C-alpha cells in the first residue's frame, strides 16, 4: 500500500516538473520573439526603412529630376505655334520670355536653320521676363521652315509641313521701266535671274514718248533670259502705238508662241499661260493718254469698247482659273474716287497723283464692273510709281479687294523711278538710282503669295507681303 502511494506521489512530482518545463519554454519563446521583433523593428525595420527610404528617395529624386530637366525644362525663350489661327502659307505663334530679356529680331529660316536671304526681319521686339508676344497672320515665304528669334543666342520655331510652301509657279510683276531714266530694268532682270523665276509680266511705260531706241533696249534686255517676258504698254508708250513702232518691235513672238492662248483683232491684247503651270495672264493695251472725262466738251477714253468686249469674253472663258490682268493705269475705288484707290494716295498737304483714270469715263467704269463680276481676276497696274513704304498713307495703296467688292487689285511701283512723299508734303520726290521696286509672286494650288522687292537694296519687304487664298 505504501509502495502504491509512493509511486503515485512520484508520478505527480514528475508530471509537475514536465508541466513546469513546458510552461517555461512557451514563455521564453514568446519573449524571445517579442524581443527579436522589437530589436528587428528598431534595428532592422527602422534603420533599414530609413536607409531604404533615403536611398530610394535619393535615387527616385535623381531619376525624376533628370527626366524632368530633359522633358519639361523651362526654356529661356518658348516659341509655340497657334494651330487654330494658322493655315497654309500663314501662321500665328507666341513667344514667351521665361529667363532672359533684351532686344530680339525675328527672321525666316530654311530647313537647315539658315536665315532666308534677302528677307527683311519679321519684327524687332523687346523681350521681358514673364512677357508673351503674340504674332498673327505672318505670311510665310517659299522654302521657309523655321521662325528664328535672334538675340545673344538663337532660338527656332519649327513650322509644321502643312503650313509650308515649297513648290510654286513663280513670276514677277514689274512696271514703269522708263529707259530714258536709266537701265534699271536690266538690273532688275539680273536679280530675277537668281530667283527661280518662271515668267515676267510688265505693266508698261518702257519709254518716255514711244522712242524706238528704248523699245530696242527693252528687247535686248529680255532676249537671253531663261524665262519669257511679256508687256502691255503705258501712257508714255502711246506714241509707239500710234506710230506702229510698238507692233513692229514689242511682243512680236505672240503669234508663234504656243503658250499664247488668244490674241485680239488689234494684236495689242493677248492671253498667255505657261506650260509650267500657274494662272492665265491677260495683257490689255492702253490706246490713248487722255485721262479726263472731257476735254473741250469732248468725252475721251483710253481703251476701246471692242477691247472691253474682248476682255469680257476672256474673263468668261477663264472664269474657273486665276486670271492676272496687266493694264498700266490704276482704277478708282468702289465709290469712284482715286485718292483711296489701289495705286494712289493723298497727303495731308493735299497732294495726290495728277493722272488718275477716275473722272467717271465710261471705259473706266466698265472695267471696274468687270472686276466686280469676275472676282477670280487679280488686276496689276503701275503708273503712279508710289513706293511700297507709302502704304502708311493709304492702306489700299499696294493691295486690296475693298472688302470683296472687286477681284484683287495690285499696284506695282516703278523699276526705274519709285516716288516718295511725306504726309505733310505737297511735292513728291524721285528715287532714281536709290530704289527700284517690283513684285515676286508664288502661286500654288491653294494660295498666291506676293512679295515686294527692292532690286537695288536687294531686299524683300516682309512687312508688305500679301496673300490671296483661292476658292
Amino acid at each position: 500500500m505504501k509502495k502504491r502511494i509512493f509511486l503515485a506521489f512520484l508520478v505527480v512530482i514528475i508530471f509537475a516538473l514536465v508541466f513546469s518545463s513546458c510552461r517555461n519554454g512557451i514563455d521564453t519563446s514568446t519573449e524571445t520573439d517579442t524581443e527579436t521583433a522589437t530589436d528587428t523593428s528598431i534595428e532592422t525595420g527602422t534603420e533599414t526603412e530609413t536607409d531604404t527610404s533615403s536611398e530610394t528617395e535619393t535615387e527616385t529624386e535623381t531619376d525624376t529630376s533628370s527626366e524632368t530637366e530633359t522633358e519639361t525644362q523651362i526654356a529661356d525663350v518658348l516659341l509655340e505655334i497657334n494651330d487654330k489661327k494658322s493655315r497654309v502659307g500663314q501662321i500665328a505663334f507666341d513667344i514667351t520670355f521665361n529667363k532672359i530679356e533684351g532686344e530680339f529680331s525675328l527672321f525666316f529660316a530654311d530647313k537647315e536653320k539658315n536665315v532666308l536671304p534677302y528677307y527683311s526681319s519679321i519684327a524687332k521686339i523687346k523681350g521681358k521676363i514673364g512677357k508673351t508676344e503674340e504674332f498673327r497672320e505672318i505670311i510665310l515665304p517659299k522654302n521657309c521652315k523655321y521662325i528664328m528669334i535672334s538675340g545673344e543666342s538663337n532660338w527656332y520655331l519649327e513650322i509644321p509641313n502643312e503650313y509650308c510652301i515649297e513648290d510654286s509657279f513663280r513670276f514677277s510683276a514689274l512696271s514703269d521701266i522708263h529707259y530714258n531714266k536709266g537701265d534699271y530694268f536690266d538690273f532688275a532682270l539680273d536679280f530675277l535671274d537668281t530667283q527661280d523665276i518662271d515668267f515676267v509680266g510688265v505693266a508698261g511705260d518702257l519709254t518716255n514718248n514711244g522712242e524706238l531706241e528704248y523699245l530696242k533696249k527693252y528687247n535686248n534686255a529680255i532676249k537671253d533670259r531663261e524665262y519669257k517676258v511679256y508687256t502691255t504698254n503705258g501712257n508714255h508708250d502711246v506714241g509707239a502705238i500710234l506710230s506702229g513702232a510698238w507692233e513692229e518691235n514689242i511682243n512680236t513672238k505672240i503669234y508663234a508662241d504656243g503658250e499664247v492662248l488668244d490674241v485680239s483683232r488689234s494684236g495689242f491684247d493677248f492671253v498667255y499661260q505657261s506650260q509650267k503651270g500657274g494662272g492665265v495672264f491677260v495683257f490689255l493695251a492702253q490706246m490713248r493718254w487722255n485721262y479726263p472725262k472731257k476735254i473741250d466738251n469732248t468725252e475721251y477714253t483710253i481703251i476701246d469698247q471692242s477691247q472691253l468686249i474682248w476682255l469680257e469674253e476672256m474673263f468668261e472663258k477663264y472664269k474657273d482659273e486665276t486670271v492676272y490682268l496687266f493694264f498700266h493705269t490704276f482704277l478708282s475705288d468702289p465709290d469712284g474716287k482715286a485718292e483711296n484707290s489701289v495705286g494712289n494716295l493723298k497727303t495731308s498737304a493735299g497732294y495726290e497723283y495728277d493722272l488718275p483714270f477716275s473722272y467717271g469715263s465710261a471705259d473706266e467704269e466698265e472695267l471696274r464692273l468687270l472686276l466686280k463680276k469676275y472676282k477670280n481676276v487679280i488686276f496689276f497696274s503701275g503708273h503712279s510709281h508710289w513706293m511700297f513704304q507709302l502704304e502708311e498713307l493709304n492702306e489700299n495703296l499696294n493691295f486690296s479687294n475693298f472688302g470683296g467688292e472687286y477681284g484683287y487689285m495690285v499696284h506695282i511701283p516703278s523699276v526705274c523711278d519709285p516716288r516718295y512723299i511725306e504726309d505733310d508734303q505737297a511735292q513728291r520726290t524721285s528715287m532714281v538710282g536709290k530704289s527700284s521696286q517690283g513684285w515676286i509672286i508664288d502661286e500654288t494650288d491653294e494660295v498666291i503669295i506676293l512679295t515686294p522687292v527692292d532690286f537695288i537694296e536687294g531686299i524683300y519687304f516682309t512687312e508688305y507681303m500679301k496673300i490671296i487664298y483661292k476658292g
Side-chain angles (χ1 to χ4, degrees), residues 299-331:
E299 183 173 342
Y300 290 87
T301 58
I302 64 174
I303 50 179
D304 295 331
Q305 187 64 28
S306 60
Q307 290 179 279
L308 290 168
I309 293 172
W310 175 84
L311 185 63
E312 186 169 12
E313 290 175 354
M314 296 301 103
F315 284 175
E316 181 64 24
K317 184 175 182 179
Y318 300 107
K319 64 183 178 181
D320 296 325
E321 299 194 50
T322 300
V323 174
Y324 301 105
L325 174 62
F326 278 73
F327 181 71
H328 180 68
T329 305
F330 59 84
L331 306 180

Side-chain angles (χ1 to χ4, degrees), residues 100-107 148-155:
I100 61 174
E101 57 187 22
E103 301 288 340
F104 301 88
S105 296
L106 271 64
F107 297 96
M148 184 184 87
I149 177 170
S150 180
E152 293 184 1
S153 298
N154 296 328
W155 297 265

Side-chain angles (χ1 to χ4, degrees), residues 207-433:
T207 69
N208 183 47
N209 194 27
E211 297 89 346
L212 180 59
E213 63 175 298
Y214 300 136
L215 301 181
K216 290 184 176 180
K217 288 190 74 171
Y218 168 84
N219 280 333
N220 188 58
I222 69 174
K223 68 178 182 179
D224 294 325
R225 307 294 171 177
E226 293 184 1
Y227 43 80
K228 293 178 184 177
V229 183
Y230 279 127
T231 185
T232 187
N233 70 298
N235 57 302
H236 280 272
D237 304 318
V238 166
I241 293 280
L242 299 175
S243 70
W246 185 271
E247 190 174 8
E248 292 174 3
N249 291 275
I250 303 298
N251 299 328
T252 57
K253 297 180 180 180
I254 58 175
Y255 292 101
D257 188 345
E259 295 181 321
V260 173
L261 308 180
D262 203 302
V263 182
S264 68
R265 290 184 180 180
S266 69
F268 296 118
D269 313 312
F270 61 97
V271 178
Y272 168 84
Q273 186 173 34
S274 173
Q275 292 181 0
K276 295 179 180 179
V280 173
F281 293 82
V282 179
F283 292 85
L284 185 69
Q286 180 171 329
M287 305 305 292
R288 285 167 291 278
W289 187 318
N290 302 316
Y291 290 103
K293 180 179 180 181
K294 292 184 178 180
I295 300 176
D296 298 331
N297 295 320
T298 301
E299 183 173 342
Y300 290 87
T301 58
I302 64 174
I303 50 179
D304 295 331
Q305 187 64 28
S306 60
Q307 290 179 279
L308 290 168
I309 293 172
W310 175 84
L311 185 63
E312 186 169 12
E313 290 175 354
M314 296 301 103
F315 284 175
E316 181 64 24
K317 184 175 182 179
Y318 300 107
K319 64 183 178 181
D320 296 325
E321 299 194 50
T322 300
V323 174
Y324 301 105
L325 174 62
F326 278 73
F327 181 71
H328 180 68
T329 305
F330 59 84
L331 306 180
S332 301
D333 69 8
D335 296 325
K337 297 178 180 179
E339 63 188 62
N340 298 321
S341 64
V342 173
N344 204 10
L345 55 82
K346 187 173 184 177
T347 68
S348 297
Y351 183 85
E352 62 180 307
Y353 193 65
D354 52 357
L355 292 174
F357 185 25
S358 58
Y359 292 94
S361 57
D363 52 343
E364 193 269 346
E365 291 181 349
E366 288 188 47
L367 186 49
R368 281 195 285 123
L369 286 173
L370 287 178
L371 293 178
K372 285 187 175 182
K373 181 178 179 181
Y374 296 97
K375 294 182 180 179
N376 61 310
V377 177
I378 300 172
F379 175 81
F380 286 95
S381 64
H383 190 48
S384 67
H385 297 214
W386 293 129
M387 300 177 73
F388 289 119
Q389 293 92 324
L390 293 173
E391 188 176 287
E392 61 187 33
L393 300 183
N394 174 12
E395 64 179 2
N396 302 318
L397 174 65
N398 297 322
F399 174 90
S400 184
N401 69 346
F402 295 98
E405 290 201 42
Y406 290 150
Y408 281 93
M409 296 180 177
V410 182
H411 174 252
I412 312 168
S414 175
V415 167
C416 81
D417 182 18
R419 290 167 177 159
Y420 184 77
I421 195 169
E422 296 284 352
D423 189 41
D424 60 355
Q425 293 178 339
Q427 288 291 330
R428 67 195 186 206
T429 300
S430 170
M431 301 296 286
V432 171

Side-chain angles (χ1 to χ4, degrees), residues 175-178 181-182 184 414-418 431-433 435-436:
S175 190
D176 295 273
I177 307 305
H178 289 293
K181 297 184 180 182
Y184 300 104
S414 175
V415 167
C416 81
D417 182 18
M431 301 296 286
V432 171
S435 181
S436 174

